[in-house]
Amino acid sequence: MSSSGTPRLAWRSILLALALALWPAVAHAQSGTLRGTVAGRDGEALAGARVTVVGTRLVTSTSPQGAFTLRGVPSGTHQLRVSAAGFRDETSEASIRPGEETLVAIQLEDKPYELDAVVISASRQSERVTEAPATITRIGTDQLDAAVGNTFAGALKEVKGLDFVQVGMTSVGINARGFNSSFNNRMLMVEDGRIMVLPENGLPVGQFTATPKVDLGGIEVLVGPGAALYGADASSGVISMETKDPRAFPGLTMEVTGGNRNYRDVQARYAGVLGDWGYKVSGEYQEADDWSNRLTLVSGIARAWRPTDVGSATVAPEVSPGGVNGLNWDASVARGTAAVVRYFGNSRLELSGGGSVTDGVGQTSVGRNQLEGWRYNFGQLRFSSPRWYANVYRAQSQSGESWATNRYSQAYYPNLARPDATRMTDEQLVAASDWPSDGRMYAGEVQYNSRVPMLLNSAVVLGTSYRRDVVSSDRQWLTDRLTGEDISINQYAGFGQVTTPVMPWMDVVLAGRYDIHENYDAQFSPKAGVVVRPVPGQNFRVTYNRAFKSPTILQTNFHIPDWNAITVIYGNTRGFTVKRPDGTVFREYAPLQPEENTTWEFGYKGVLGDRLFVDVAHYRSAYENFMSPLAVIGDPLNAGLGGQPAGTSVWAYDADGNRLNTAAGGPALALTYYNLGAARIQGTDAGINFVVTPKINVRGTLSLIEISDVEVDAGREESTALNSPEMKWTLGGSFQDFGRLTGGLTVRHVDEYYFRSGVNRGFISGFTTLDANLGYRIDRFNTTVNLGVSNLFGCGGNFEYDDKDLLRATPTNENRGCGFGQKHTEMINMPEIGTMVFLGIRYQTR
């Protein structure tokens, strides 16, 4: 070969490089700029409207002033499509000339119903539900206002894919896609970008939130792994709540509600704008005489109390101070928030804070807690602009005078047998059963988002976050009891997502998050997906997610060597070995590590005929290293509670080879957390919303799930318990503006299923319930009267078991019925739920 080919190849390479370098300039010379405004029917500017040049990758959103700019638009005549929440899509023509600027003004018509809402949670940036690469549901202000009851939780009953568990008049449990528990922390709760987690135990803040429902502007529920953008606590999904902006929701709102079981609630919110400043304040007081039940511990397993339990030496009926049968089920909460906002053109800076105080009863995997004066508070500063988002906050939870009811009951009866001179007082017993906690979270996040023309106009989201948890148990039940110092844990993370329109009708989504935790190995959570849009408003998607659930401070730092005379409880940071009395090893438990969830999802979402919204997703998930609930590993009592066959004993040893003993020095019934098992599940979540007329709509959801390929050691099946129904569905309909009337009906069905979490074991009877709501608007007085009835009619019941059936796996009888006021059970060892009636009056000015 001639050497002259080398210079020729070099020149070709140089010319190609110059051509590639000059191509953007050439393309720019053949393009122009499109600038315009988007307004509503009355001429008001529409912020966040989506503007797309059809057939290209060019897309943008309008500013708070309704303005937009698109550069690099190819010359020629194009179709311009504009969409905004609450308005009909508009398509118009725009002619672009090379190097020139084209001005357009677009006005949208009102749409009386919204099938394709704008959401943020799925990709951390604005997009339509039909464009989101995930299963996501948005609940708007209208739905929140019409929700049965006076908490935000009632609006979650009809979210597809969500397990909604009513455990009281005002308290609920939430889970998604299986593996529920009595102490569930697989769902991440976020409010205004603030992680809503109790640092001391990893549970969602839930009913302890400081925000009244009248200040909630919307809720987005992301079902499925969300760790790629949200981190460790989003293994099963994300519930993201946003509060109302003073400028968008000014004026006074007051709501007074009463109901059965002495339910009473007062909420109020006032907001306004002074120039470039906005402000708001909100508050609520709520209380009710909740449903109640009594429990008895039999061989460490809880069951309903019976009259024959009195005086029995083999059982421990639940009791309150003074020997009162049962607990105090009077539930109450006082909460409030305030905020000041400074507006800077397209940007805003907000300083907010709030707090709550709650009383009631909460469940754990080893019993129940009497909540007395539980406090939660936060302070937050956040900044947002079209490109940047920054957020810093401090949150704190304190258990107040709360105490563990089972620990008190187990100490109460032996105390009665002691001589009067050595008998403990009720106050001393409560003090020995309390669990003081002070959990503080210090966190911050910075996020940048933009579109990159050189990357096919890709939408890019980049961010970093920091979190520091500082927890104290007052040196009583965590490892600060040993060290004399508060427990502190630092976490760092970086995340990003790129959505590339490789074709005008197809997006490729790549995302990932890298979490560094000082107590275990760093975790990488990848996400990948392809979204195909054959026509506007419809998409098919395939996504891959890997998420993880990290151990909480409770799971790693629990430390109670004297829970009672025979029981010790320890967190798992170094591992344990369990041996038979002859010294041979029965089982080894490694140090606790994060649980992993890998999920493939295939879905379709679309609006058909401008009246029918369909969302169907099928998923396949593989779980590894399940983190167990608090469970027995050392059982010298021969009861078979440590995973060994009944009639044999096993003793637990720590990583240094020391046997875990009771306070008196004998072998202990030892409890801890561990990783064990693997499982594969598959399921389908589907939802429809059909607009019959602009005033009437019908909606429904269906969820199916099944577990397969379970790998778990004999005796430790609790680790992989699905704890969710194989099928559940809802069917509802609503009407609006019939004269002054608004209302609806919803039927909810949950199949029977087996639940096993610690001492809470047994079958939850399948149930079907009917909810109804009716509102009447009195325009003259800016007032609406709302009547809501939950469980108006239902079918359900409960099971009975033999005391020898420790797993509650073989019911001896089922008490079941149908009718008005029919009660049913939604959580093992919590009260049956009956009819709930709420009558409220809302006054609102703007």
Side-chain angles (χ1 to χ4, degrees):
M1 181 179 291
S2 171
S3 61
S4 62
T6 302
R8 185 179 297 112
L9 179 60
W11 276 108
R12 288 177 179 174
S13 300
I14 293 173
L15 289 174
L16 179 59
L18 286 173
L20 291 174
L22 292 174
W23 173 251
V26 174
H28 180 74
Q30 299 301 317
S31 63
T33 299
L34 182 63
R35 195 185 304 274
T37 60
V38 179
R41 182 183 61 182
D42 297 328
E44 75 278 12
L46 295 183
R50 188 176 178 87
V51 183
T52 305
V53 180
V54 178
T56 75
R57 302 181 180 90
L58 298 173
V59 62
T60 189
S61 298
T62 57
S63 70
Q65 290 75 34
F68 69 90
T69 301
L70 282 167
R71 295 183 174 85
V73 183
S75 60
T77 301
H78 297 276
Q79 295 291 316
L80 194 65
R81 186 170 65 246
V82 182
S83 59
F87 296 86
R88 297 185 185 277
D89 289 0
E90 175 70 23
T91 301
S92 60
E93 285 190 353
S95 296
I96 307 299
R97 296 182 179 180
E100 296 185 8
E101 184 174 276
T102 301
L103 301 179
V104 295
I106 299 170
Q107 194 168 27
L108 303 184
E109 295 182 5
D110 294 343
K111 184 164 61 176
Y113 48 85
E114 183 63 58
L115 293 177
D116 193 10
V118 175
V119 294
I120 297 175
S121 301
S123 300
R124 289 206 169 204
Q125 59 184 349
S126 297
E127 60 189 347
R128 288 289 192 178
V129 166
T130 53
E131 298 168 344
T135 299
I136 188 168
T137 300
R138 177 171 176 79
I139 301 169
T141 53
D142 291 343
Q143 293 168 277
L144 288 169
D145 291 344
V148 175
N150 249 53
T151 69
F152 72 88
L156 302 177
K157 281 188 177 182
E158 297 183 71
V159 174
K160 54 185 172 292
L162 207 62
D163 287 332
F164 180 95
V165 181
Q166 189 91 44
V167 293
M169 285 283 289
T170 61
S171 57
V172 304
I174 299 297
N175 187 56
R177 296 184 175 177
F179 304 113
N180 197 6
S181 73
S182 299
F183 220 57
N184 186 12
N185 58 2
R186 284 187 169 92
M187 292 287 291
L188 175 66
M189 183 176 176
V190 177
E191 184 177 293
D192 286 342
R194 186 177 69 256
I195 294 176
M196 298 281 282
V197 170
L198 304 177
E200 64 272 31
N201 55 35
L203 292 177
V205 170
Q207 68 192 75
F208 303 129
T209 179
T211 303
K213 192 180 75 170
V214 292
D215 191 37
L216 281 178
I219 303 176
E220 295 178 10
V221 182
L222 174 67
V223 174
L229 294 178
Y230 290 94
D233 299 308
S235 174
S236 295
V238 179
I239 297 177
S240 178
M241 304 192 300
E242 62 186 56
T243 61
K244 294 177 178 176
D245 179 78
R247 189 161 59 182
F249 296 91
L252 172 65
T253 301
M254 295 186 64
E255 187 169 288
V256 179
T257 304
N260 63 325
R261 304 199 64 83
N262 290 322
Y263 178 90
R264 41 211 179 271
D265 180 273
V266 178
Q267 299 189 51
R269 175 186 183 272
Y270 183 74
V273 178
L274 296 174
D276 291 330
W277 291 88
Y279 59 91
K280 65 176 180 177
V281 60
S282 65
E284 176 184 17
Y285 180 74
Q286 178 188 92
E287 62 181 6
D289 299 337
D290 219 330
W291 287 284
S292 63
N293 66 351
R294 296 177 59 193
L295 297 182
T296 293
L297 286 177
V298 181
S299 300
I301 304 303
R303 66 153 167 79
W305 177 86
R306 302 168 186 169
T308 54
D309 293 337
V310 177
S312 173
T314 61
V315 297
E318 197 172 49
V319 65
S320 292
V324 178
N325 292 331
L327 308 178
N328 178 10
W329 290 87
D330 295 339
S332 66
V333 61
R335 55 171 64 100
T337 63
V340 176
V341 183
R342 178 69 164 90
Y343 301 99
F344 305 89
N346 297 343
S347 306
R348 71 192 299 276
L349 179 67
E350 177 179 320
L351 176 64
S352 61
S356 68
V357 181
T358 305
D359 295 335
V361 175
Q363 188 184 56
T364 73
S365 58
V366 294
R368 303 196 292 204
N369 292 325
Q370 185 77 67
L371 307 179
E372 293 188 2
W374 187 295
R375 289 171 170 78
Y376 175 80
N377 64 81
F378 77 92
Q380 181 178 19
L381 179 67
R382 59 184 181 132
F383 170 81
S384 60
S385 72
R387 293 287 178 265
W388 291 94
Y389 174 82
N391 179 23
V392 293
Y393 57 92
R394 174 193 184 273
Q396 181 181 32
S397 62
Q398 297 171 297
S399 61
E401 303 300 321
S402 304
W403 47 278
T405 63
N406 59 328
R407 193 177 187 190
Y408 178 91
S409 299
Q410 291 178 52
Y412 175 82
Y413 295 100
N415 185 60
L416 292 179
R418 300 172 66 176
D420 291 343
T422 60
R423 188 175 299 171
M424 298 174 66
T425 66
D426 285 341
E427 291 77 12
Q428 290 173 321
L429 285 173
V430 170
S433 305
D434 68 356
W435 36 276
S437 66
D438 184 353
R440 288 149 284 159
M441 179 191 300
Y442 305 88
E445 180 180 78
V446 177
Q447 177 182 310
Y448 173 76
N449 67 86
S450 181
R451 285 198 172 266
V452 183
M454 297 298 292
L455 293 177
L456 300 179
N457 204 38
S458 296
V460 177
V461 176
L462 298 173
T464 184
S465 64
Y466 168 74
R467 172 176 163 183
R468 176 179 175 83
D469 293 350
V470 180
V471 175
S472 167
S473 71
D474 200 18
R475 315 302 184 244
Q476 292 192 36
W477 56 277
L478 293 173
T479 52
D480 61 329
R481 172 175 179 161
L482 290 176
T483 64
E485 298 179 352
D486 293 352
I487 302 164
S488 65
I489 295 178
N490 294 300
Q491 303 177 53
Y492 308 85
F495 60 89
Q497 176 168 290
V498 178
T499 303
T500 302
V502 293
M503 300 293 288
W505 45 268
M506 183 173 70
D507 291 346
V508 173
V509 181
L510 297 175
R513 181 181 173 107
Y514 191 73
D515 283 272
I516 300 175
H517 191 290
E518 63 179 83
N519 284 355
Y520 52 81
D521 293 340
Q523 299 291 313
F524 177 60
S525 305
K527 172 183 177 180
V530 176
V531 180
V532 176
R533 296 181 299 277
V535 295
Q538 299 186 47
N539 82 42
F540 295 87
R541 72 183 188 279
V542 178
T543 58
Y544 166 88
N545 285 271
R546 188 174 72 205
F548 72 102
K549 174 176 173 283
S550 62
T552 65
I553 284 180
L554 183 71
Q555 293 170 313
T556 58
N557 293 80
F558 222 151
H559 187 86
I560 307 183
D562 53 358
W563 174 261
N564 57 34
I566 62 171
T567 306
V568 300
I569 304 176
Y570 295 107
N572 184 2
T573 56
R574 302 179 60 206
F576 297 94
T577 300
V578 181
K579 299 180 181 180
R580 302 179 182 87
D582 62 7
T584 59
V585 174
F586 170 70
R587 182 171 287 147
E588 293 184 334
Y589 295 95
L592 204 59
Q593 293 293 317
E595 174 184 299
E596 293 187 0
N597 169 13
T598 302
T599 296
W600 283 91
E601 186 168 325
F602 313 87
Y604 163 79
K605 286 187 284 191
V607 177
L608 305 174
D610 202 30
R611 289 202 170 187
L612 176 64
F613 174 75
V614 179
D615 188 351
V616 181
H618 178 76
Y619 60 89
R620 295 174 179 267
S621 300
Y623 286 81
E624 295 182 354
N625 292 326
F626 278 96
M627 285 194 291
S628 74
L630 189 60
V632 174
I633 59 169
D635 175 19
L637 305 180
N638 308 330
L641 300 176
Q644 83 279 19
T648 62
S649 62
V650 290
W651 299 347
Y653 294 78
D654 64 20
D656 296 323
N658 301 312
R659 190 178 72 182
L660 304 186
N661 290 332
T662 64
L669 190 69
L671 287 78
T672 191
Y673 302 89
Y674 52 80
N675 295 105
L676 190 66
R680 295 181 183 275
I681 64 171
Q682 64 176 355
T684 301
D685 296 323
I688 62 169
N689 192 347
F690 177 61
V691 178
V692 182
T693 74
K695 295 183 178 182
I696 301 175
N697 82 299
V698 178
R699 58 194 179 274
T701 67
L702 172 66
S703 291
L704 306 172
I705 188 173
E706 62 178 2
I707 186 170
S708 61
D709 301 329
V710 178
E711 300 174 11
V712 64
D713 294 348
R716 303 279 72 168
E717 291 82 3
E718 180 178 3
S719 298
T720 57
L722 185 62
N723 289 343
S724 293
E726 292 187 356
M727 181 180 74
K728 56 182 179 287
W729 55 262
T730 66
L731 180 63
S734 61
F735 64 90
Q736 60 183 354
D737 296 331
F738 269 72
R740 297 179 179 179
L741 289 175
T742 299
L745 295 171
T746 301
V747 178
R748 182 168 72 106
H749 173 80
V750 174
D751 268 4
E752 171 189 307
Y753 64 99
Y754 181 67
F755 185 92
R756 181 178 179 183
S757 180
V759 301
N760 307 305
R761 304 176 181 181
F763 280 91
I764 293 177
S765 178
F767 61 87
T768 305
T769 63
L770 172 67
D771 294 350
N773 66 284
L774 182 67
Y776 181 74
R777 191 178 69 253
I778 308 174
D779 295 330
R780 180 179 177 183
F781 299 104
N782 299 318
T783 298
T784 302
V785 180
N786 290 309
L787 173 64
V789 185
S790 185
N791 303 328
L792 171 64
F793 184 92
C795 296
N798 56 68
F799 292 96
E800 296 178 356
Y801 307 86
D802 189 291
D803 280 351
K804 296 180 181 179
D805 182 8
L806 297 183
L807 294 180
R808 302 290 191 265
T810 308
T812 59
N813 186 43
E814 181 181 10
N815 302 310
R816 188 172 180 82
C818 294
F820 292 97
Q822 172 68 35
K823 290 186 176 181
H824 66 278
T825 299
E826 297 196 21
M827 175 55 71
I828 297 295
N829 293 329
M830 290 298 279
E832 291 181 291
I833 305 299
T835 298
M836 296 179 282
V837 180
F838 307 95
L839 179 62
I841 300 176
R842 172 186 289 248
Y843 172 79
Q844 189 166 9
T845 64
R846 295 194 64 176

